């Protein structure tokens, strides 16, 4: 484990899963090994070698192997050709500026199926390595954690990563049910203090993203071992996770109706639960890697409402 955290230096992102990914990537040395299975990672790529071409690259995702090879790890909770092409560009930029062999990885936490290869033509294509959480057997990982709890065996750092990402694994529970189940276990889980802080901060965000019921929220918050004083710095992120939750649920309600009036009702419910406030952060963040048309289509938001954020940014 690293003794000095760089988390505070990482720019804020609205997406809850990105926040948790950044916590894991920035505050542990082992998370890249967890994703890649490379046991010869010696640390981050030297930032002094970065050129202006890296202005849009999350440097915390670049690691170096003992033989000099570079690893670029990108997280996505959804994937399309545009994002694949952006990741391809990152790998090319890394190679151009370093002359090193580059291993691209995508840590993917979204729905299946997906296209894993993006083709430029018959002989040129982007074929990254994948860590797909939905392909991990969550029931097996949970049973391992429960066994260690029962035997009072400390969770190691890789067990803790399993615990953190368990709600996104292939598991026979709904997302919010899994989050509440894992939170209920927190007080009984034997693990080092620094790992506990990482796990509990991650679940603080999962809680905001998954649960709306006030009674369930209050009950779950009582399961954290961190004091209110320690939780307080993350309250803003918790509120943003709740906005993320409300926004997406409002959209989903509309989608399930399957007709325009149903979609409108879903958006309206989302608005009543705070969508207007969340859009101020959510849409500008999406515009960094999606076109207005893609955002409108993917989230059923009227195009003219997305475009007003484009105008603001100019």
């Amino acid at each position: 484990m690293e003794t000095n955290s760089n988390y505070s230096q990482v720019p804020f992102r609205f997406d809850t899963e990105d926040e948790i990914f950044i916590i894991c990537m920035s505050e542990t040395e082992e998370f890249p090994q967890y994703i890649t299975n490379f046991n010869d990672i010696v640390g981050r790529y030297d930032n002094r070698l970065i050129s202006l071409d890296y202005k849009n690259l999350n440097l915390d995702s670049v690691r170096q192997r003992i033989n000099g090879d570079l690893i670029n790890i990108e997280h996505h909770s959804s994937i399309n050709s545009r994002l694949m092409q952006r990741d391809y560009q990152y790998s090319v930029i890394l190679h151009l500026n370093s002359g090193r062999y580059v291993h691209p990885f995508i840590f993917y936490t979204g729905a299946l199926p997906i296209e894993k290869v993006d083709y430029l033509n018959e002989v040129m294509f982007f074929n990254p390595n994948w860590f797909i959480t939905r392909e991990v057997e969550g029931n097996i990982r949970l049973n391992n954690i429960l066994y260690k709890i029962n035997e009072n065996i400390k969770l190691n750092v890789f067990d803790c990563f399993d615990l953190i990402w368990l709600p996104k694994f292939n598991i026979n529970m709904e997302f919010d049910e899994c989050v509440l189940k894992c939170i209920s276990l927190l007080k009984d889980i034997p693990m080092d203090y620094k790992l506990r802080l990482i796990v509990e901060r991650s679940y603080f965000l999962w809680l905001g993203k998954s649960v709306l019921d006030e009674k369930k929220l209050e009950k779950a918050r009582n399961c954290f071992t961190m004091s209110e004083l320690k939780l307080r710095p993350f309250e803003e992120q918790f509120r943003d996770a709740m906005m993320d939750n409300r926004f997406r649920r409002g959209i989903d309600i509309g989608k399930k109706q399957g007709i325009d009036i149903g979609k409108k009702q879903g958006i309206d419910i989302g608005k009543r639960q705070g969508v207007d406030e969340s859009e101020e952060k959510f849409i500008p963040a999406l515009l960094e890697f999606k076109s207005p048309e893609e955002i409108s289509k993917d989230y059923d938001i009227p195009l003219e409402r997305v475009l007003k954020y484009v105008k603001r940014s100019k």
Side-chain angles (χ1 to χ4, degrees):
M1 297 289 300
E2 290 184 349
T3 55
N4 296 320
S5 167
N6 289 322
Y7 180 67
S8 61
Q9 301 173 13
V10 178
F12 176 79
R13 299 184 184 186
F14 180 75
D15 185 83
T16 306
E17 292 183 26
D18 264 350
E19 288 292 333
I20 296 170
F21 174 80
I22 290 171
I23 290 173
C24 294
M25 184 67 73
S26 299
E27 300 206 6
T28 73
E29 295 176 341
E30 296 90 348
F31 193 52
Q33 181 180 347
Y34 178 76
I35 294 172
T36 65
N37 280 326
F38 292 148
N39 60 7
D40 60 350
I41 299 173
V42 293
R44 291 181 175 88
Y45 184 48
D46 193 339
N47 288 9
R48 292 174 299 173
L49 303 178
I50 302 302
S51 75
L52 291 176
D53 291 329
Y54 283 86
K55 59 184 180 295
N56 294 320
L57 180 60
N58 178 8
L59 300 182
D60 271 341
S61 69
V62 182
R63 294 293 189 274
Q64 188 168 348
R65 300 181 68 184
I66 196 167
N67 64 358
D69 289 357
L70 301 183
I71 307 163
N72 180 211
I73 304 171
E74 297 297 323
H75 165 250
H76 294 296
S77 55
S78 63
I79 200 70
N80 55 36
S81 292
R82 182 185 180 91
L83 291 174
M84 290 279 282
Q85 290 157 13
R86 187 195 71 178
D87 292 347
Y88 192 9
Q89 183 182 28
Y90 284 172
S91 294
V92 171
I93 289 171
L94 274 172
H95 180 65
L96 283 173
N97 283 271
S98 67
R100 308 281 181 83
Y101 193 98
V102 177
H103 303 268
F105 279 82
I106 294 178
F107 184 74
Y108 180 69
T109 55
L112 297 175
I114 55 171
E115 295 291 335
K116 295 183 179 180
V117 183
D118 189 71
Y119 290 89
L120 176 64
N121 52 45
E122 293 84 355
V123 296
M124 298 180 69
F125 48 87
F126 181 51
N127 184 19
N129 303 283
W130 294 81
F131 185 111
I132 299 175
T133 56
R134 293 294 183 193
E135 293 181 349
V136 179
E137 288 297 330
N139 297 304
I140 294 175
R141 304 296 174 99
L142 176 58
N143 286 337
N144 176 59
I145 291 168
L146 292 174
Y147 170 79
K148 290 194 171 185
I149 293 174
N150 291 333
E151 297 297 321
N152 198 32
I153 301 171
K154 273 189 178 182
L155 267 61
N156 61 41
V157 65
F158 299 107
D159 295 328
C160 289
F161 293 144
D162 283 345
L163 177 59
I164 288 169
W165 293 101
L166 195 65
K168 305 302 295 187
F169 289 170
N170 178 21
I171 193 166
N172 59 356
M173 285 187 277
E174 295 296 326
F175 176 75
D176 55 349
E177 180 188 0
C178 184
V179 169
L180 291 173
K181 169 70 174 178
C182 292
I183 289 175
S184 72
L185 297 173
L186 288 176
K187 289 183 178 179
D188 298 321
I189 299 177
M191 53 184 154
D192 290 335
Y193 178 72
K194 289 181 180 178
L195 285 175
R196 180 175 295 281
L197 289 179
I198 293 171
V199 170
E200 294 203 3
R201 283 166 54 189
S202 298
Y203 267 95
F204 195 50
L205 295 181
W206 280 141
L207 179 63
K209 184 179 174 66
S210 64
V211 179
L212 291 177
D213 184 271
E214 290 293 336
K215 290 184 179 179
K216 290 182 179 179
L217 278 173
E218 186 61 29
K219 182 179 179 181
R221 285 183 67 126
N222 290 332
C223 294
F224 289 91
T225 66
M226 285 196 299
S227 67
E228 286 296 321
L229 188 63
K230 288 188 178 295
L231 287 174
R232 198 172 299 151
F234 312 108
E235 284 288 347
E236 183 178 351
Q237 290 176 323
F238 178 73
R239 289 193 297 270
D240 284 327
M242 291 185 71
M243 290 298 179
D244 185 9
N245 180 8
R246 291 167 178 172
F247 185 91
R248 293 175 190 273
R249 289 195 186 210
I251 300 300
D252 287 343
I253 290 170
K255 284 184 176 180
K256 288 176 182 177
Q257 299 298 321
I259 53 176
D260 290 341
I261 188 170
K263 291 178 181 179
K264 183 179 184 302
Q265 288 172 349
I267 298 296
D268 289 343
I269 290 172
K271 279 187 176 181
R272 290 198 297 273
Q273 295 175 329
V275 169
D276 285 340
E277 183 179 342
S278 69
E279 278 188 2
E280 294 290 334
K281 293 180 179 178
F282 185 69
I283 293 179
L286 286 174
L287 283 168
E288 292 183 7
F289 57 89
K290 283 177 176 274
S291 70
E293 292 76 16
E294 287 174 324
I295 296 172
S296 176
K297 179 181 177 182
D298 291 347
Y299 298 94
D300 289 334
I301 304 171
L303 181 59
E304 59 270 20
R305 200 153 87 228
V306 179
L307 289 174
K308 75 179 183 181
Y309 292 96
V310 177
K311 293 177 182 178
R312 288 184 191 178
S313 65
K314 290 182 179 178

